[in-house]
Structure formats: C-alpha cells, structure tokens
Amino acid sequence: MRAVALNEVPSAPAVTDVEPPRPEAGELLVKVAVSSVNGFDAATAAGWLQGMMEHRFPLVVGKDFAGTVEALGEGVEGFAVGDEVFGVVMKPFLGSGSLAEYVTVSAGYGIAHVPAGLDIKDAGALGLAGTAAFDSLTALNVAKDETVLVSGATGGVGALAVQLAAAQGARVIATARPGAESDFVASLTDADVAVVDFTGDLAAQVRALAPEGVDTALHLAGDGVQLAALLKPGGRIVSTLGLTPEAVTAQDVSVHGVMAEPDAQTLTTLAEKAASGALRVPVTATFPLEQAADAFAAFGAGTLGKIAVTCS
C-alpha cells in the first residue's frame, strides 16, 4: 500500500510502498479516507521523539484518521465492516500510522463512529487537535464569564479551543498576527474574541483588556512563563508544551500539563458538536497522499488551522 514513511529519523517524510497492516485481536483494519498533519508527526520526522517511544521502520507517520472499517480482528465488538469511523492512532510504538491507505487501530480506545452530518474530511482532521483542545479546557475547568487567553490560536488545537471556550461562555483573548491570522481567528466563532498581536507588547495588550490579569491561559505556543505572568493571583494555565510548576514558582498560579486522551466519549462529544455546526473543524488546506511532502512543508510554514490529507 502507499504510505507516508520514514526510513530513519531525522528525515523528510516520503510516499512509498509498504506492507499493508493486518488487524490483530481487538483491532480494526480501517481503509483511510482522510488523515491530517499534526505537530506530533513533524516532531517524529525531526527525530525529537527518539528515546521516548519505540520506532519501527519503515515508520509510517500519522495520528488522525477517518475512513471505513475494512476488517475486524478477533474479539472486536461494537463495530462492523462498512462502518464509518474516525479517531487517533494510539499505539505504544511509532511505525503504524494513519497517513496511509490502511491503518490498524484498537477497537477499545482512540476510535468512534462518524455521526450523520459530519463530513469525512472534517472527521479526519478532528481527533488529535480536538481532543487536545477539549482536554485543555477540561483541565482548566473554565467557568462562564472567566477570561481565557489562548496562545497559539491560529493552529489546529488553538482554533478549536477558541470555539470551545467561547461556547462555554468564557471571554476569549487570542494571540495572532495582524491581517490574515487575526481575520482567521475572528471568523471561528460568532462570539466576540479579542485578538492580540504576539509580535508586539503582548503583556500591555492583555493588561489593557484584563487589568487584573486573566483567569486562565492555554499555552499552545510562545513563552509559557510569560503567559503565566499574565494570570491573576490564583489563575490557572494549561500547557501542551511542557511548562512545569517549577518554572513559575514565583507566581501564585497553578500549572497543568496535558497530553490528549482521545477516549470514545471525548471523540463522540467532539464529533456531535461538529456535526451539529456548533464546532467548525478549521481545515484550510487539503493535499492528496502523493503530495504529503507538500502538506508537511505547508505545516512547517505555518498554514492556518488544520491541513487534511486525502488517502483514497
């Protein structure tokens, strides 16, 4: 089958022929319709995950998937051949990813059915970024009328977090450059989102909007310590980038680290929101599998929102 693979790390992802996977007990074989590019995939190719996870070569990259169940492994329940499914590949090793014509995934974790009304392209770009955004806001326990600072609002996680936070009744302040980036963030929701330019005096801009400091912050990009300093006493910050409590010991704030946990309940909740129109999956560019190298280049260049890859 055709897949985006690495023969070593670091190296550039390339489309090549690899052996198609077979479902083991408890697994599904999914014919992938759509996947997407995530920061995790770029980090894998750059070699940043060496020593953290087992690498099996040729290493097929890719976390997100949406497609059709092609075959069932022994003992699988709750799914049937022909079902439309989506989710996140959650194997304990790297090598059997979803940027391919087929992928095997556990039937018990990281997968859910695609509901009626959800476009398959959106489903294929929703899993990892959506879960990271959802889990981040859950960790912050954002309440109605609290102020949320989203640093990195133009990326896939940030664009979804802006929408989810606004839907919870929070007052959202988002970082973006003036122009196309700010316009993109403003278009994500009908709620009033304040956009601040992170290339300027970020602290002054945020303080002008929240003189006593913000209640919560999402550290998806930028300097986590700088963001923590913009919190009011007792504020909370969540980081997907490794900010630790030890880094902000001089401040009266709490720090939460988040790694996305795409269980079926979270995936189903996100899918239902997207199917109803309450959540927009911000796909701004789509590439065919054979142009995956261009998709990775676009990701590295800072393309707004999510980049989808059609695999069949």
Side-chain angles (χ1 to χ4, degrees):
M1 70 171 184
R2 302 292 280 168
V4 182
L6 309 166
N7 289 318
E8 61 181 0
V9 292
S11 65
V15 179
T16 186
D17 289 305
V18 300
E19 287 294 319
R22 297 180 179 180
E24 298 181 355
E27 289 188 332
L28 304 169
L29 176 67
V30 177
K31 180 176 176 58
V32 182
V34 182
S35 182
S36 80
V37 180
N38 287 290
F40 188 94
D41 308 314
T44 299
W48 296 347
L49 301 182
Q50 292 184 86
M52 299 173 64
M53 295 183 71
E54 178 189 355
H55 290 48
R56 298 183 183 178
F57 297 98
L59 192 159
V60 178
V61 296
K63 298 291 283 182
D64 288 326
F65 68 89
T68 306
V69 176
E70 187 88 356
L72 306 175
E74 182 182 352
V76 170
E77 297 181 352
F79 297 92
V81 172
D83 284 356
E84 278 199 338
V85 294
F86 82 106
V88 184
V89 178
M90 294 298 290
K91 295 179 183 286
F93 63 90
L94 297 174
S96 183
S98 59
L99 279 162
E101 293 177 313
Y102 294 91
V103 67
T104 54
V105 295
S106 170
Y109 185 57
I111 187 170
H113 288 91
V114 177
L118 178 58
D119 183 87
I120 197 71
K121 183 170 69 175
D122 289 344
L126 176 60
L128 188 57
T131 301
F134 185 91
D135 288 352
S136 293
L137 290 170
T138 299
L140 288 175
N141 192 26
V142 176
K144 187 176 184 296
D145 295 328
E146 283 195 316
T147 303
V148 181
L149 173 61
V150 181
S151 179
T154 58
V157 179
L160 290 163
V162 165
Q163 297 177 66
L164 291 170
Q168 292 177 214
R171 180 190 179 206
V172 180
I173 302 174
T175 67
R177 292 184 178 90
E181 289 191 4
S182 293
D183 293 343
F184 169 75
V185 172
S187 73
L188 292 171
T189 173
D190 292 334
D192 185 17
V193 175
V195 182
V196 293
D197 179 8
F198 64 88
T199 65
D201 189 337
L202 181 62
Q205 295 172 77
V206 172
R207 292 292 182 185
L209 295 166
E212 297 180 3
V214 297
D215 298 290
T216 60
L218 275 72
H219 175 219
L220 310 174
D223 184 338
V225 175
Q226 180 189 28
L227 296 175
L230 299 176
L231 293 165
K232 63 175 55 174
R236 297 103 63 199
I237 183 170
V238 66
S239 176
T240 62
L241 300 177
L243 180 70
T244 64
E246 292 75 21
V248 294
T249 53
Q251 301 170 48
D252 177 20
V253 300
S254 59
V255 179
H256 307 269
V258 164
M259 293 186 64
E261 296 289 347
D263 57 58
Q265 181 176 350
T266 296
L267 291 171
T268 298
T269 297
L270 289 164
E272 289 174 347
K273 289 180 182 293
S276 72
L279 180 68
R280 177 165 70 89
V281 183
V283 175
T284 61
T286 303
F287 295 82
L289 184 66
E290 292 295 332
Q291 295 177 17
D294 294 332
F296 273 85
F299 181 88
T303 294
L304 303 177
K306 290 289 300 177
I307 298 172
V309 177
T310 54
C311 298
S312 61

